[in-house]
Amino acid sequence: MNNQSISIKSLKHVWHPCSQMKHFETNPLIPIKKAKGVWLYDFDGKRYLDAISSWWVNLFGHNHPKIKAAIKKQMNQLEHTMIAGLTHEPVINLSAKLNKLTKLGHCFYGSDGANAIEIAIKMSTHYWSLKRQPKKNKIVYLKNSYHGETLGALSVTSVPLFQRNYQQLLRSHIQVDSPDWRFKKHDQSEEEYVSEKLNELKRVFEKKSQMISAIIIEPMVQCAGGMGMYSPNYLTGLRKLCNNYDIHLIADEVAVGFGRTGKMFAIEHANIKPDFICLSKGITGGFLPLSVTLASNDIFNAFYDDDISHGFLHSHSYTGNPLACSAAIATLSIFKDEKIISQNKIKSKKLTVLLDEIKHLPLHNFRHLGMIWAFELDKCVHIENFTKNCLHHGLFIRPLGQTVYLMPPYCISDNEMQFMVKIIKKAIENEIH
Ligand SMILES: *Cc1c(COP(=O)(O)O)cnc(C)c1O
């Protein structure tokens, strides 16, 4: 078995996500046989550095022994049971830990990030109807946001390519400008831009708060929308506005949670407490699908009643799966035992310094927060060829338009960082027209 034979089989049987299948005629699939640390190994024996942590889910490297051991141990005890009417230790222990970390009250589980968003949206609007304000059912979302691709989540996602063909199925909500500093005017400071955006938002809230249930945001970094970054002052201002106008704040930390931005959760940059936090991706260290929506006590209490229809009647078959929960508990203990957040500070500085070597090349908007780095390649660099070139030399990346970003697993070593920068530099130099 080699790359080619496996690819043929895959293309015959698998419908690959977020892809035009025909493009695989010219851009071959890479069949992965095994992975360890930052490295993915194909069937021809070549290895690739996973510079985007397998769509941002991997935290400490592939095949991590502690997470693997935790899943194995749990597997011998209890593989799965439903948690409506029943409960089990992994889901209790994980929830207690997450509640302590976020200071929110209760954890509601799903399997993917998009589930967590659906749940937050349903809970928020249901809350307002329980409070006899059923007209509060619109969600405010930011331009360039990404919250997932199921219908509810897609309704508050503003990536036109993902929305275009499903417009008739989507509910229309309220879009506002993004605080992403790349959109500021030339003569504006970042902070001036942020207060302008907060003022605009205030006017929307002022006019429409009677119909607004919640605002959903990706704190600090709008990831899939092109790694747009913004000031924590936006979050501080936003929390105040939400308080003043009785609007829930949903923090979608699916991508930025678990240390990506340099803090355990990105909301910590502004020290704010949202009404909902959505978590997924890194939660199991990249081993198993799991998501959670954390809700404040105020939200939880509104549903607490004798009447069943006042309850939150939502479920997924694998809600609170014990194997996934045990992987998540192991993930949290690695953060603690190996002091990941402070170790990452050192790594973050190192890679930022190494990347100085590429700043003279035709690229702009170089930005960085925690374990995320991004820049736009100038139009003179052919992005597809650039990506192929990186791959050829053993670096797996997946640019968003002209935006190149790095989100490597936290276990990345000095040598591996140097390798990454060297390949990127060469690939840009090669593709300047
Ligand atoms: C990936 C992502 C989602 C959706 O998660 P899935 O697991 O792909 O459904 C939601 N919000 C953000 C910010 C994301 O990056």
Side-chain angles (χ1 to χ4, degrees):
M1 295 221 276
N2 58 18
N3 279 2
Q4 203 188 359
S5 65
I6 306 262
S7 296
I8 292 170
K9 221 170 165 181
S10 191
L11 294 176
K12 187 168 171 210
H13 298 291
V14 184
W15 197 334
H16 292 270
C18 206
S19 307
Q20 168 51 267
M21 291 293 287
K22 194 161 193 289
H23 287 176
F24 294 120
E25 288 176 9
T26 43
N27 292 314
L29 279 172
I30 310 166
I32 300 301
K33 186 175 186 182
K34 59 175 189 179
K36 194 165 175 53
V38 298
W39 297 101
L40 306 170
Y41 296 83
D42 73 11
F43 280 73
D44 291 346
K46 185 172 169 176
R47 65 177 193 171
Y48 308 85
L49 197 154
D50 184 2
I52 59 164
S53 297
S54 290
W55 257 347
W56 327 336
V57 302
N58 194 286
L59 295 185
F60 315 121
H62 292 274
N63 208 350
H64 195 283
K66 285 187 190 162
I67 302 177
K68 203 159 67 174
I71 297 171
K72 277 188 181 160
K73 190 168 168 218
Q74 182 55 41
M75 206 145 50
N76 290 329
Q77 189 82 22
L78 170 69
E79 81 298 341
H80 181 72
T81 169
M82 58 192 283
I83 58 164
L86 308 174
T87 193
H88 53 69
E89 281 181 305
V91 80
I92 299 168
N93 294 341
L94 176 59
S95 306
K97 285 179 198 298
L98 290 175
N99 290 337
K100 192 168 168 216
L101 275 173
T102 61
K103 300 183 189 74
L104 292 184
H106 279 79
C107 293
F108 198 103
Y109 291 89
S111 322
D112 290 282
N115 293 164
I117 306 302
E118 301 288 339
I119 290 164
I121 292 175
K122 281 176 75 177
M123 271 183 184
S124 173
T125 51
H126 191 163
Y127 171 97
W128 290 115
S129 70
L130 289 169
K131 297 280 179 184
R132 297 179 198 283
Q133 296 186 67
K135 288 205 181 100
K136 276 172 85 73
N137 60 39
K138 293 277 186 189
I139 310 295
V140 176
Y141 64 100
L142 303 185
K143 193 162 183 236
N144 263 0
S145 62
Y146 179 94
H147 298 290
E149 293 172 54
T150 53
L151 296 176
L154 194 58
S155 299
V156 292
T157 286
S158 86
V159 182
L161 185 63
F162 296 156
Q163 269 202 349
R164 195 176 297 150
N165 296 311
Y166 314 103
Q167 214 65 54
Q168 284 85 344
L169 301 176
L170 303 180
R171 186 152 190 267
S172 107
H173 288 292
I174 300 167
Q175 188 181 305
V176 295
D177 269 0
S178 161
D180 176 350
W181 58 254
R182 288 176 302 165
F183 301 128
K184 74 179 179 67
K185 294 182 209 86
H186 272 305
D187 57 352
Q188 231 175 358
S189 74
E190 275 180 52
E191 294 311 327
E192 279 166 353
Y193 183 66
V194 161
S195 30
E196 183 185 296
K197 292 305 127 190
L198 284 169
N199 280 330
E200 284 171 20
L201 187 63
K202 182 168 183 238
R203 285 196 287 279
V204 174
F205 280 8
E206 228 159 45
K207 217 166 113 193
K208 300 187 174 165
S209 68
Q210 260 71 357
M211 57 190 280
I212 299 174
S213 175
I215 178 166
I216 184 165
I217 50 140
E218 296 158 82
M220 301 305 290
V221 188
Q222 293 186 289
C223 293
M227 299 297 157
M229 299 186 182
Y230 58 86
S231 156
N233 292 345
Y234 184 79
L235 297 176
T236 315
L238 180 60
R239 179 66 270 183
K240 281 190 197 133
L241 287 177
C242 288
N243 289 347
N244 293 348
Y245 291 93
D246 250 354
I247 288 168
H248 293 145
L249 177 52
I250 304 174
D252 177 356
E253 296 245 6
V254 168
V256 291
F258 299 102
R260 260 302 149 198
T261 67
K263 307 262 187 194
M264 190 61 170
F265 300 112
I267 45 171
E268 293 169 25
H269 288 278
N271 251 322
I272 57 158
K273 191 171 156 190
D275 303 283
F276 296 93
I277 300 178
C278 301
L279 302 172
S280 188
K281 292 207 166 101
I283 191 169
T284 62
F287 272 69
L288 288 164
L290 180 73
S291 68
V292 54
T293 306
L294 290 122
S296 69
N297 289 326
D298 177 43
I299 307 278
F300 178 82
N301 292 336
F303 288 79
Y304 203 78
D305 194 278
D306 291 323
D307 185 343
I308 176 140
S309 76
H310 287 198
F312 188 60
L313 306 184
H314 179 109
S315 61
H316 297 284
S317 309
Y318 281 95
T319 295
N321 173 259
L323 300 176
C325 288
S326 67
I329 294 167
T331 297
L332 291 177
S333 53
I334 293 169
F335 268 104
K336 210 167 157 188
D337 299 345
E338 300 179 18
K339 302 193 171 57
I340 297 290
I341 299 289
S342 57
Q343 287 303 313
N344 279 359
K345 281 204 178 82
I346 302 166
K347 296 201 178 191
S348 172
K349 275 197 195 120
K350 277 189 182 156
L351 185 52
T352 305
V353 169
L354 286 174
L355 284 166
D356 276 342
E357 276 184 51
I358 64 162
K359 283 187 184 155
H360 65 284
L361 293 167
L363 55 88
H364 54 283
N365 290 342
F366 186 92
R367 54 201 181 275
H368 149 244
L369 185 68
M371 294 298 280
I372 308 176
W373 292 263
F375 53 85
E376 273 75 50
L377 283 178
D378 294 352
K379 290 279 188 234
C380 64
V381 185
H382 193 291
I383 193 89
E384 274 175 40
N385 290 345
F386 163 80
T387 308
K388 277 187 198 166
N389 202 314
C390 288
L391 200 59
H392 179 73
H393 289 102
L395 181 68
F396 179 67
I397 51 170
R398 220 181 131 91
L400 302 155
Q402 286 292 121
T403 305
V404 176
Y405 70 90
L406 300 172
M407 267 203 196
Y410 305 160
C411 66
I412 191 163
S413 69
D414 291 6
N415 281 342
E416 290 159 346
M417 286 184 202
Q418 276 162 10
F419 173 83
M420 203 159 63
V421 175
K422 192 181 82 189
I423 304 292
I424 290 172
K425 184 163 179 253
K426 263 208 262 177
I428 298 176
E429 283 166 350
N430 248 315
E431 296 305 329
I432 305 171
H433 294 291

